[in-house]
Amino acid sequence: MNSRIEKLRTFLLDKQHHRFRRSLESVGLADLPRQFAERGLVAVTRSAEALAALLEAEQPVILPGEKLLFTRTVAGVPDVYTSGEWEAIKRTHYIHERGTVCNISPDYETTLRAGLQARKEEIAARLADPALTAEQRTFLQATSACIESVQELVGRYEEYARAMGEHETAEVLGAVKNRGARSFREALQLLRILHFSIWAAGNYHNTLGRFDQYMYPYYRHDIENGILTPGEAFDLLEEFFLTCNKDSDLYPGMQQGDNGQSLVLGGRDADGGSLFNELSRMCLRASYELGVIDPKINIRVDKDTPAEIFELGSQLTRKGLGFPQYSNDDVVVPGLIQKGYTPEDAANYVVAACWEFIIPKYAMDIPNIDGLSLAGCVNACLPQLAACPDFGTFYKAVEAEIERRVGEICEKHKNLYIVPAPMMSLLMDGTIGRAQDISQGAKYNNYGIHGTGIATAADSLAAIRKFCFDERRVDAAALVEAVANDFRGASELQSLLRREAPKMGRDDDYADGLCRDLLASFARALDGRRNERGGVYRAGTGTAMYYVFHARELGATPDGRNAGEMIPANYSPSLFIDQKGPVSVIKSFTKPELKDVVNGGPLTLEFDQSVFRNDESVGKLGMLVKTYIVLGGHQLQLNTVSREQLLDAREHPERHRSLIVRVWGWSGYFVELDECYQNHVIDRIEFGV
Amino acid sequence: MQKGIIFSIEEFAIHDGPGIRTTVFLKGCPLRCAWCHNPEGFSPQPQPMIRRGVSEVCGREVTTGDLAAQLLRDREIYRINGGGVTLTGGEPLMQPDFAEELLAMLRPEVHTAIETSGYASAETFRRVVAQCELVMLDIKHTDPAIHRRFTGVDNAPILRNLEYLAASDKPFIVRIPLIPGVNDTERNMKEVLALIRDARSLERVEILRYHKTAGAKYPMVGRKYDPPFDAGQEPHVCDLFTENQITTVIL
């Protein structure tokens, strides 16, 4: 890190740029929705006007040493509807989360190459089509208006830079205001502008996609033509990474840190060739040096990925940022093809805000539309247990319950409404051709369902099978009653269930086989179902925040877990099992057919910091990751924590402001998390070495 | 089939040899090193141990066949990662027939290693070592009186076994636990260096710094940790090996 980047980093971490911020009220934008309503504007026009008003209220600033500009100075995004209007829409529609387009992977590449002016002309040409409906025309006009608003702000930034004597920066801004990027610096600046603009348009969980692929031509061009040295390119890259941390506290998420700025490195192309390049390597190094939580690094790997890449990744893990997260092309690509994605699109997959596998440019998937509590499905069948003559009969009941609940979930998402997003539409393929807003759908419109409490469900089934059927040691009615009473007065039975029943994560086929069955049943229950947009449903192993909701409503479970005890986040062992070690965990969790649960959701392993005492042990961590991939794991995230550190941080947040932990699909500052999330992180199993 | 007493099996043991390894802890040790952090390894028999307020039995009897079958479940993982199985303790050479048979069952498919104090007869040492691809030998002190004072045993058999290794083709690692005020002197290091300098098959030296938490498990097995050296002091790292072209790792 050179001193310019170092200073800028300190400036941002000290939040000094917050002094430029003004509230929506103070810039007169709080009242926009009412004005829109009075003028009777349609939604897509409102979206474009809200963006225009916000960008107009923005004031150019240049932070110390900055070469890549654009900083938010208005601390908010105006609504497009009045609260009354929104309530009325909610009454008749299914609303996903905040109701705006989110969690997709924009196509920055096309606009970086073509430039804003050419995109505007493309729209103008499309508008010449006499066959367009009024609605289509309005959409195209709104998108064109978004481009103009962005260009207007770029122009003001350019003038400001010139006035401040930053001539090079002004040149770059002047160029990318109209044309496509021709250098690495121009490409980074235009990318920053586009990314900034979609956040300003009220879209969120805006991912960065395959950055090392779409930026590589610019990088190579500059290196080959002597425009930049690798060192200079690295500084610009670090600065770009810092820009992702400027306004991130303004980005909406479940908790701070959950902002979805995922960036994906490496992977294979459609022909199987490795795409990990010099820029991918640089990204890992920049992330390591900067030690900030955005962008969140993901690495696409496969069974042939060289050990060196796993080692580089493990170096970054050592940093304690909670990433990189790994995904396995050997599992994910065929899994996506199986769900109907073309081989070319599947090969180009990225991760959404957390871990869900999505396709840049072409997919308007909602990969987190709902969650199925698998442990809840098992519990719901307990009243039938005593009447089941064998375990197979009980399992069939569980399977039927999964099927029933999945049916219910799929019924829920009818009449979906998403606020039009003309700015985001510009960055998604085919919207101009179709003259249709991205909120209406795209080439892919698939929904993903999380499966929560997988290990709790598998362990519960294992305990039931072993004690009630195989060994007949426990009376089914007694077990059901004990669970219903949260094991009050049944401590002996609870201890048997907790300590002696087979558990997933110990390389025990007895429990692991049941997990494989459960996931297969879950995937089968979704097979063939179609959503109202014509998309399919994808089963997943992630939990997002559902692990908190579902644990609360679950009650005690037959694995000996008490009501109120947490269930694991994502695809991980139960929190109280007697661990054999990470190798057993990996073996257990690679037994299910993970191609079939391609919505994603990582196995999470937590390591005590002592693991990382030297490079040799970091290399071994890389081997462990590779092992998970070779054995057919789909996704993996690693945490390094020390329990003492977490306990101390809970007591003395002021001493641990910079402590970063991985929560579910994202990393956040520990001290800023709600207590329930803090406790969950503390309770998770650590592999002290 | 031989039976043995073990007290732990640890997966992904990252400081016990190359690659991804599983380490098996054999119970019983003839030494009483004042800095030992595994006091549950002293007694050769299973014994009660209090963990998180619950009394559990530490140590169990296993047959070589069962244990080998369990370890071989991970053969593929050892293979892809250049890893294997390491026997440690306690002192694995205290159960030589068990150790020898177990290692033989794992070979040649699995890379085998042993971590030992070297305190065993030449015959025992040689036949168990013959079943290992790698030997990790602890050298605590070259001075017999000091060695006896801090470990309870004479170092003559250890040095004799070291001499054997140094003259052999068997890959080995010398490990030196660095104890403040006990063996962290230049003189001790010089003498160790003299013993290993010309060894053909020495892979490296590992210096393991004494850690203050060494005493944590003593109350759990009803013992008192009372080291006869200044445990609060940082050990003096005197690495004469690197300058003599011996790869050295300080942990």
Side-chain angles (χ1 to χ4, degrees):
Chain A
M1 202 181 320
N2 68 20
S3 66
R4 179 179 77 90
I5 300 295
E6 175 96 59
K7 277 186 201 140
L8 187 56
R9 179 182 180 275
T10 308
F11 186 90
L12 294 172
L13 289 182
D14 289 347
K15 305 180 178 175
Q16 292 194 55
H17 60 304
H18 288 199
R19 67 168 180 262
F20 301 116
R21 289 187 186 167
R22 296 148 301 146
S23 67
L24 273 184
E25 291 74 20
S26 73
V27 294
L29 296 181
D31 197 34
L32 270 189
R34 197 186 49 78
Q35 297 167 24
F36 290 157
E38 274 176 11
R39 290 162 61 201
L41 293 182
V42 296
V44 72
T45 309
R46 293 184 185 202
S47 293
E49 286 206 11
L51 177 65
L54 181 64
L55 295 186
E56 204 177 309
E58 278 294 345
Q59 284 176 353
V61 291
I62 302 179
L63 310 184
E66 259 192 332
K67 290 183 178 174
L68 302 174
L69 309 189
F70 271 62
T71 301
R72 284 270 288 272
T73 64
V74 180
V77 172
D79 288 330
V80 297
Y81 289 112
T82 64
S83 54
E85 287 174 320
W86 189 236
E87 285 310 314
I89 292 171
K90 280 197 335 201
R91 271 196 295 279
T92 50
H93 292 86
Y94 181 82
I95 303 296
H96 176 64
E97 293 184 0
R98 306 170 63 88
T100 54
V101 173
C102 64
N103 214 18
I104 62 175
S105 187
D107 164 27
Y108 302 106
E109 194 176 358
T110 300
T111 304
L112 288 179
R113 207 181 317 114
L116 290 167
Q117 197 59 29
R119 298 303 311 274
K120 210 164 76 180
E121 284 158 15
E122 181 191 335
I123 296 171
R126 186 72 186 88
L127 273 166
D129 180 354
L132 290 173
T133 64
E135 195 187 339
Q136 288 177 314
R137 215 167 272 283
T138 308
F139 160 72
L140 291 170
Q141 282 157 351
T143 304
S144 186
C146 288
I147 298 178
E148 280 167 18
S149 309
V150 173
Q151 286 179 312
E152 190 273 335
L153 181 58
V154 178
R156 277 193 292 128
Y157 257 100
E158 179 196 352
E159 282 163 30
Y160 181 71
R162 192 153 284 128
M164 298 302 286
E166 300 285 347
H167 296 291
E168 243 183 84
T169 305
E171 289 301 309
V172 170
L173 289 161
V176 301
K177 186 173 99 180
N178 294 310
R179 64 160 169 80
R182 289 180 191 161
S183 68
F184 190 54
R185 181 167 170 184
E186 285 181 7
L188 288 170
Q189 178 63 75
L190 186 50
L191 177 61
R192 170 64 188 159
I193 291 166
L194 296 173
H195 198 228
F196 176 99
S197 302
I198 47 179
W199 286 106
N203 303 114
Y204 64 100
H205 283 163
N206 299 317
T207 62
L208 287 159
R210 300 184 89 178
F211 177 89
D212 63 340
Q213 304 306 313
Y214 62 79
M215 294 303 287
Y216 189 57
Y218 301 100
Y219 169 82
R220 237 181 97 177
H221 168 269
D222 282 12
I223 299 296
E224 280 172 3
N225 292 288
I227 294 164
L228 289 178
T229 64
E232 287 163 343
F234 182 68
D235 292 340
L236 286 171
L237 176 68
E238 286 201 322
E239 183 175 352
F240 178 77
F241 278 16
L242 284 179
T243 67
C244 298
N245 297 273
K246 279 196 219 179
D247 315 318
S248 49
D249 60 309
L250 300 174
Y251 301 163
M254 282 296 292
Q255 295 272 303
Q256 211 192 103
D258 171 27
N259 61 46
Q261 298 186 85
S262 309
L263 187 149
V264 179
L265 301 175
R268 286 175 160 158
D269 58 24
D271 302 322
S274 168
L275 293 173
F276 194 91
N277 59 36
E278 195 43 44
L279 186 58
S280 327
R281 203 177 297 274
M282 243 183 207
C283 286
L284 289 176
R285 193 152 64 84
S287 185
Y288 181 85
E289 262 195 24
L290 292 170
V292 290
I293 61 175
D294 284 297
K296 299 173 205 311
I297 305 290
N298 293 265
I299 311 180
R300 283 178 46 170
V301 291
D302 55 69
K303 63 177 172 21
D304 300 321
T305 298
E308 185 222 350
I309 293 174
F310 291 106
E311 273 168 41
L312 288 171
S314 299
Q315 290 288 356
L316 186 52
T317 296
R318 171 196 231 170
K319 194 84 183 177
L321 299 161
F323 51 71
Q325 176 170 258
Y326 298 89
S327 58
N328 187 355
D329 286 10
D330 295 330
V331 173
V332 178
V333 173
L336 288 168
I337 292 172
Q338 208 171 273
K339 276 286 167 191
Y341 297 89
T342 67
E344 293 71 35
D345 291 344
N348 204 28
Y349 82 88
V350 295
V351 296
C354 293
W355 59 76
E356 302 94 332
F357 302 117
I358 57 169
I359 311 299
K361 189 172 174 176
Y362 298 113
M364 182 55 212
D365 293 345
I366 306 180
N368 58 341
I369 200 156
D370 221 319
L372 171 73
S373 169
L374 287 161
C377 290
V378 174
N379 263 18
C381 295
L382 289 178
Q384 302 170 52
L385 180 62
C388 290
D390 50 36
F391 179 74
T393 310
F394 182 69
Y395 188 77
K396 281 213 180 72
V398 173
E399 201 168 37
E401 177 66 14
I402 291 173
E403 178 82 29
R404 191 188 67 76
R405 289 198 185 193
V406 157
E408 239 174 51
I409 287 172
C410 295
E411 274 309 300
K412 251 168 74 184
H413 315 125
K414 290 285 157 71
N415 213 14
L416 175 76
Y417 179 77
I418 304 175
V419 178
M423 180 66 216
M424 182 65 97
S425 298
L426 181 72
L427 303 180
M428 291 299 283
D429 185 74
T431 47
I432 308 303
R434 294 191 300 270
Q436 188 192 49
D437 192 272
I438 190 62
S439 63
Q440 305 281 325
K443 181 174 176 184
Y444 301 108
N445 303 287
N446 303 325
Y447 293 170
I449 312 285
H450 300 313
T452 74
I454 293 167
T456 306
D459 293 352
S460 294
L461 289 173
I464 289 169
R465 181 180 209 168
K466 182 178 166 79
F467 296 130
C468 299
F469 294 104
D470 290 0
E471 299 180 2
R472 305 254 167 212
R473 272 167 82 180
V474 176
D475 174 56
L479 175 86
V480 174
E481 197 192 326
V483 170
N485 292 328
D486 196 15
F487 300 108
R488 272 182 299 272
S491 60
E492 215 168 293
L493 174 61
Q494 183 180 18
S495 153
L496 179 77
L497 297 168
R498 271 178 98 99
R499 292 155 153 266
E500 286 180 46
K503 305 282 181 208
M504 208 189 161
R506 294 173 47 82
D507 186 22
D508 180 343
D509 290 343
Y510 197 97
D512 304 341
L514 288 163
C515 173
R516 194 177 51 223
D517 294 347
L518 274 171
L519 289 181
S521 301
F522 178 27
R524 243 191 334 266
L526 285 169
D527 264 351
R529 292 184 192 269
R530 292 265 164 188
N531 65 39
E532 62 177 9
R533 296 186 159 205
V536 300
Y537 284 91
R538 320 185 313 183
T541 50
T543 58
M545 62 289 181
Y546 288 97
Y547 72 94
V548 178
F549 306 157
H550 288 169
R552 278 187 200 138
E553 64 190 33
L554 193 55
T557 40
D559 59 343
R561 179 188 140 280
N562 278 115
E565 257 188 284
M566 288 288 202
I567 57 174
N570 298 331
Y571 185 53
S572 300
S574 163
L575 300 178
F576 56 79
I577 71 165
D578 181 16
Q579 292 276 357
K580 283 170 77 179
V583 172
S584 290
V585 171
I586 281 176
K587 286 177 78 188
S588 277
F589 282 78
T590 48
K591 287 177 199 172
E593 187 48 81
L594 295 168
K595 274 192 197 74
D596 298 343
V597 282
V598 80
N599 199 55
L603 168 66
T604 305
L605 294 177
E606 314 246 273
F607 286 91
D608 192 84
Q609 280 173 338
S610 63
V611 180
F612 305 101
R613 271 185 294 197
N614 60 20
D615 287 347
E616 210 171 86
S617 46
V618 171
K620 289 188 181 182
L621 188 70
M623 291 179 187
L624 196 68
V625 175
K626 183 173 172 111
T627 303
Y628 181 70
I629 299 302
V630 171
L631 294 186
H634 58 342
Q635 204 168 23
L636 180 67
Q637 74 179 41
L638 300 144
N639 252 354
T640 84
V641 283
S642 89
R643 194 178 160 79
E644 291 70 33
Q645 204 181 356
L646 294 177
L647 290 170
D648 194 55
R650 196 172 56 180
E651 300 312 312
H652 306 285
E654 69 285 357
R655 294 184 200 158
H656 297 274
R657 291 260 168 249
S658 63
L659 174 60
I660 292 165
V661 291
R662 186 90 175 181
V663 187
W664 59 84
W666 48 278
S667 302
Y669 290 102
F670 181 80
V671 300
E672 289 174 17
L673 301 175
D674 289 346
E675 207 187 340
C676 67
Y677 295 111
Q678 289 189 341
N679 291 343
H680 194 276
V681 172
I682 291 172
D683 289 347
R684 267 187 234 158
I685 301 96
E686 294 166 38
F687 296 108
V689 172
Chain B
M1 200 181 286
Q2 295 289 330
K3 287 179 179 170
I5 310 281
I6 62 167
F7 65 96
S8 185
I9 297 175
E10 194 184 310
E11 292 180 356
F12 194 53
I14 55 174
H15 301 301
D16 297 339
I20 291 190
R21 307 190 77 79
T22 295
T23 296
V24 180
F25 292 76
L26 277 67
K27 210 163 177 314
C29 185
L31 278 68
R32 290 292 177 271
C33 303
W35 48 84
C36 183
H37 61 275
N38 282 335
E40 73 275 34
F42 292 168
S43 159
Q45 294 306 319
Q47 66 188 105
M49 185 168 182
I50 298 163
R51 289 176 190 271
R52 294 181 206 99
V54 181
S55 182
E56 294 170 359
V57 179
C58 171
R60 64 185 165 99
E61 189 179 75
V62 286
T63 65
T64 48
D66 287 350
L67 183 52
Q70 187 189 334
L71 294 166
L72 284 167
R73 281 174 64 92
D74 292 343
R75 69 187 93 187
E76 186 57 16
I77 290 174
Y78 306 140
R79 190 189 61 78
I80 39 187
N81 296 295
V85 170
T86 301
L87 301 190
T88 185
E91 170 49 63
L93 296 180
M94 234 183 132
Q95 302 182 57
D97 298 338
F98 173 73
E100 185 187 11
E101 190 171 282
L102 175 66
L103 292 166
M105 285 176 172
L106 297 172
R107 296 177 78 200
E109 223 179 336
V110 174
H111 178 276
T112 55
I114 190 169
E115 265 175 345
T116 173
S117 68
Y119 188 76
S121 72
E123 183 274 329
T124 298
F125 187 80
R126 288 171 201 197
R127 75 180 157 96
V128 178
V129 159
Q131 297 298 333
C132 297
E133 265 79 45
L134 173 70
V135 178
M136 286 172 269
L137 180 66
D138 263 27
I139 299 296
K140 281 109 182 176
H141 216 295
T142 52
D143 182 289
I146 299 176
H147 196 274
R148 182 176 288 282
R149 186 173 150 219
F150 286 98
T151 71
V153 301
D154 182 21
N155 65 0
I158 298 170
L159 297 180
R160 190 182 57 230
N161 288 330
L162 172 63
E163 204 178 320
Y164 165 75
L165 278 184
S168 75
D169 291 320
K170 180 71 67 183
F172 74 106
I173 291 171
V174 164
R175 307 183 107 184
I176 306 172
L178 205 60
I179 314 303
V182 177
N183 66 354
D184 58 343
T185 60
E186 192 176 337
R187 180 170 170 196
N188 184 44
M189 297 298 158
K190 260 189 186 153
E191 288 174 0
V192 175
L193 177 66
L195 295 170
I196 60 175
R197 175 179 260 160
D198 300 322
R200 293 192 294 276
S201 55
L202 176 70
E203 295 209 329
R204 63 189 204 180
V205 169
E206 294 180 359
I207 295 177
L208 309 138
R209 270 176 299 200
Y210 174 76
H211 198 271
K212 285 188 212 66
T213 57
K217 290 195 216 164
Y218 283 71
M220 294 158 75
V221 288
R223 286 177 185 270
K224 195 167 167 246
Y225 183 61
D226 189 15
F229 55 89
D230 185 357
Q233 197 190 315
E234 279 294 306
H236 169 64
V237 179
C238 172
D239 172 15
L240 301 178
F241 307 103
T242 303
E243 59 196 64
N244 280 280
Q245 287 73 51
I246 296 173
T247 309
T248 306
V249 181
I250 300 168
L251 293 168

